[in-house]
Amino acid sequence: MKFLELPPRFFFFTGKGGVGKTSLSCATAMHLAGQGKQVLLVSTDPASNVGQVFGQAIGNTITRIHGVPGLSALEIDPQQAAQQYRERIVGPVRGTLPDDIVNGIEEQLSGACTTEIAAFDEFTALLTDSVLTADYDHIIFDTAPTGHTIRLLQLPGAWSDFLEAGKGDISCLGPLAGLDKQRAQYKAAVQALADARRTRLVLVARAQQATLREVARTHAELAGVGLSQQYLVINGVLPPEEAAHDPLAAAICAHERAALDAIPEVLKALPRDRVALKPFNLVGLDALRQLLVTTASQAPSTHAVPVALDAPSLSELVDDIAEDGRGLVMLMGKGGVGKTTLAAAIAVELAHRGLPVHLTTSDPAAHLTETLSGALDNLTVSRIDPHIETERYRQHVLATKGAQLDAQGRALLDEDLRSPCTEEIAVFQAFSHIIREAGKKFVVMDTAPTGHTLLLLDATGAYHREIARQMAGTGLHYITPMMQLQDPRQTKVLIVTLAETTPVLEAANLQADLRRAGIEPWAWIINNSIAAATPNSPLLRQRACHELREIDAVATRHARRYAVVPLLKEEPVGVDRLLELTARPSLITERA
């Protein structure tokens, strides 16, 4: 593998969700440890699953990996990091300042922005020559999906500029003196990221046109922040010999070949590796050891794979949604599971039935317009663009609060609104507006990958608590966005997953997080099921057999209502194909 040649100290694996960053980073860490190196594997993903891959608990402390001498791992827990960060700021003033001021500081530090700053604090410490990392020859970062990673890597420059200008206030950053102590650490982190002798960035993609376009954008954005030492890994490529007697495998191979033939120009010059699709789930040490080596195909499993599933179509799931005539339908889950496609399919089916529908996304990397590739009566499409929403919010505040200020006061307000945390407020406001719109029509929302969505829900919860505090004792009726999300008559949350071990575990963890917030998921959708597509390819049949246990786990342990959508020969792009998707057989049931 080219990306493993002359390995530098720091590796970054990044790319769109679901392309296999975690599997590749774990396999790379094992490979380097197997050469006698001391290796630290770090996950910066808010929805980390490194512990699930290795089959042991890891968490927010450096932990030795059983069975792999020389390898340790760390999962940066954003919530735990945020709590420690808040305590560093509030602890010294507790008992010194009045309680109401201390409580105010704690409330101001309860938002998602503080969570991201805290995780970033831990991240930068690992990029510098600290006591914590001095004993490691290699540090490998399994980063979050693309949009989150870009923001994380841009933060060093953003915070540097922010601190240099002396901007911000306690609601965003806490006491500036505390952050100012981190100035040298941030500068060293930026230098490490930009040094090609120390840092190698591995762009992970699948042989799919949309994924390769996303990687091309990531390449340009990362080069723009100084990460020029980039390698490209095309992961999960179906071996051509599998296409011999299977129309599904032949179609997959043809699509992958066409995608690679049309690879974006900016990616052609990058050193490139190709990793074959394996017939097994990449969980456990034995599976990971086989990922980066070429092995002969295993004999096909003798377990039966269902030839056909006698089950309702996805449109029957839409039947229950359509009965209410309006409401918010939110699709949530890990990146790469197909939320965008399924959100578009559900929205198109509802609109095709004559119902007014607003299809929107909060995912920075979503491609709704490309998926739709056309227009339809009763359907409007939008996107919550963080940059646009932030600028709109800034202009609104300047036009209202700023109208009463003198020139100096307006300039100070303008500086304050350039805080990185202004985006959090702006995106939350746009999200709240869309929730209100669901009282009149259907709003189908394709959400960002799990970690981003949970941060947005954190902001929603913080707003709810503040409104409840202000309204306590007034006797006035009020409804917050969080109350609407918790009302099953107004909101249906669909958790999207794949029939694989790690995605199902992550979906179950997401469901637990939602339930802690008082939100009960309405249904699960298992997308791109090979078992439901009844393949003939030996490799695909093996993967189909592995799926059956996961589908059963969803049916019997996790979901009250669920659907299985088969892997398709043709990519469901365009209104006509999306309508076909909702009419295809799928498996749906409801437990008592």
Side-chain angles (χ1 to χ4, degrees):
M1 293 288 174
K2 295 184 180 68
F3 77 90
L4 289 173
E5 296 173 357
L6 300 174
R9 187 171 190 225
F10 299 115
F11 277 89
F12 274 83
F13 287 84
T14 191
K16 186 177 172 63
V19 294
K21 298 184 300 294
T22 297
S23 300
L24 282 167
S25 61
C26 291
T28 299
M30 289 179 59
H31 172 80
L32 294 172
Q35 296 180 339
K37 304 294 186 181
Q38 292 296 314
V39 181
L40 177 62
L41 174 62
V42 182
S43 174
T44 63
D45 191 336
S48 174
N49 63 337
V50 169
Q52 295 165 354
V53 171
F54 283 118
Q56 68 177 82
I58 296 176
N60 202 32
T61 56
I62 294 178
T63 304
R64 287 280 185 180
I65 298 300
H66 307 318
V68 189
L71 177 58
S72 299
L74 167 69
E75 293 176 318
I76 294 180
D77 182 335
Q79 299 303 324
Q80 185 176 341
Q83 180 56 39
Q84 294 171 348
Y85 179 83
R86 283 191 290 268
E87 187 57 32
R88 287 205 309 271
I89 293 174
V90 178
V93 299
R94 190 178 285 116
T96 302
L97 296 177
D99 288 346
D100 58 338
I101 295 179
V102 173
N103 292 338
I105 295 173
E106 289 180 327
E107 180 62 32
Q108 290 166 337
L109 291 171
S110 66
C113 187
T114 299
T115 303
E116 187 162 347
I117 295 168
F120 172 66
D121 243 12
E122 294 202 9
F123 163 79
T124 55
L126 297 169
L127 275 173
T128 56
D129 293 325
S130 66
V131 175
L132 187 66
T133 59
D135 294 334
Y136 294 101
D137 301 300
H138 300 285
I139 302 175
I140 298 173
F141 292 90
D142 170 31
T143 65
T146 306
H148 187 275
T149 300
I150 297 295
R151 182 171 177 175
L152 188 66
L153 296 179
Q154 286 176 327
L155 275 174
W159 287 120
S160 178
D161 293 344
F162 197 66
L163 293 173
E164 285 289 347
K167 301 173 184 176
D169 58 33
I170 199 168
S171 67
C172 174
L173 298 175
L176 280 179
L179 275 181
D180 197 51
K181 295 176 184 177
Q182 306 295 91
R183 192 185 300 265
Q185 179 172 301
Y186 292 171
K187 183 177 180 180
V190 174
Q191 291 172 343
L193 289 170
D195 187 347
R197 295 167 300 177
R198 288 191 285 168
T199 300
R200 180 172 298 170
L201 188 115
V202 182
L203 302 171
V204 184
R206 291 294 181 102
Q208 300 164 350
Q209 291 186 4
T211 305
L212 289 169
R213 286 195 297 268
E214 178 69 27
V215 165
R217 283 188 283 268
T218 302
H219 162 72
E221 290 172 324
L222 291 173
V225 295
L227 275 80
S228 56
Q229 184 76 347
Q230 299 183 19
Y231 286 67
L232 176 63
V233 175
I234 309 295
N235 190 32
V237 179
L238 185 64
E241 59 268 23
E242 297 294 328
H245 305 290
D246 186 348
L248 176 62
I252 293 172
C253 286
H255 289 313
E256 291 184 341
R257 187 166 54 250
L260 293 175
D261 288 344
I263 192 168
E265 198 67 32
V266 295
L267 299 178
K268 290 182 178 179
L270 297 182
R272 188 193 314 178
D273 291 302
R274 189 180 297 192
V275 177
L277 182 69
K278 302 299 181 184
F280 45 79
N281 288 333
L282 290 163
V283 176
L285 301 185
D286 291 340
L288 289 170
R289 287 191 180 99
Q290 297 180 61
L291 178 59
L292 299 178
V293 298
T294 303
T295 56
S297 297
Q298 298 180 13
S301 170
T302 57
H303 290 94
V305 177
V307 176
L309 291 173
D310 182 17
S313 66
L314 184 60
S315 64
E316 296 185 47
L317 185 62
V318 182
D319 287 341
D320 290 341
I321 296 173
E323 284 182 2
D324 293 337
R326 65 180 184 276
L328 176 65
V329 180
M330 296 183 73
L331 285 89
M332 297 186 184
K334 172 184 169 68
V337 296
K339 296 187 301 295
T340 299
T341 297
L342 290 174
I346 291 171
V348 164
E349 176 65 22
L350 290 170
H352 188 65
R353 298 183 185 198
L355 298 164
V357 183
H358 178 183
L359 173 62
T360 188
T361 181
S362 64
D363 186 350
H367 307 287
L368 276 180
T369 54
E370 294 174 12
T371 301
L372 282 170
S373 188
L376 183 67
D377 289 343
N378 306 312
L379 179 66
T380 57
V381 182
S382 72
R383 173 172 174 255
I384 299 178
D385 186 305
H387 298 296
I388 293 174
E389 298 302 335
T390 301
E391 183 58 26
R392 181 181 293 136
Y393 175 77
R394 284 186 62 255
Q395 295 302 326
H396 172 74
V397 173
L398 287 171
T400 52
K401 292 183 178 179
Q404 310 301 319
L405 300 176
D406 58 22
Q408 183 179 6
R410 186 177 174 84
L412 289 172
L413 177 62
D414 184 49
E415 284 190 358
D416 187 57
L417 289 170
R418 296 187 185 280
S419 150
C421 296
T422 299
E423 181 180 310
E424 175 192 338
I425 301 169
V427 171
F428 169 70
Q429 287 201 348
F431 176 62
S432 301
H433 176 76
I434 286 175
I435 290 177
R436 290 194 298 272
E437 189 179 344
K440 301 177 181 178
K441 62 171 67 172
F442 277 111
V443 174
V444 180
M445 176 175 281
D446 163 38
T447 66
T450 304
H452 253 329
T453 299
L454 293 178
L455 289 178
L456 182 59
L457 291 178
D458 282 346
T460 308
Y463 177 79
H464 170 77
R465 292 190 295 273
E466 178 61 19
I467 293 297
R469 185 185 65 79
Q470 293 179 11
M471 300 297 288
T474 65
L476 299 176
H477 177 71
Y478 64 93
I479 298 177
T480 67
M482 180 58 80
M483 293 166 67
Q484 290 179 269
L485 294 179
Q486 293 170 336
D487 186 347
R489 296 169 300 177
Q490 300 186 59
T491 301
K492 288 181 170 63
V493 173
L494 310 181
I495 294 180
V496 183
T497 187
L498 302 176
E500 299 174 13
T501 305
T502 298
V504 169
L505 286 172
E506 289 181 339
N509 290 337
L510 170 61
Q511 179 162 265
D513 286 331
L514 291 169
R515 284 173 171 168
R516 280 192 288 272
I519 300 171
E520 181 62 33
W522 183 74
W524 284 43
I525 301 177
I526 300 173
N527 194 29
N528 288 337
S529 169
I530 298 173
T534 61
N536 294 319
S537 151
L539 187 150
L540 293 183
R541 286 177 69 86
Q542 284 181 269
R543 292 189 66 87
C545 288
H546 287 296
E547 286 188 353
L548 298 179
R549 184 181 68 177
E550 302 307 325
I551 293 173
D552 182 69
V554 172
T556 60
R557 297 204 303 271
H558 300 308
R560 290 183 57 83
R561 182 188 288 104
Y562 74 99
V564 176
V565 178
L567 177 66
L568 305 178
K569 295 177 185 176
E570 298 295 331
E571 189 177 357
V573 173
V575 170
D576 290 341
R577 284 188 179 165
L578 289 169
L579 285 170
E580 290 176 12
L581 179 64
T582 59
R584 288 177 180 269
S586 59
L587 180 61
I588 178 172
T589 187
E590 182 171 359
R591 300 203 330 269

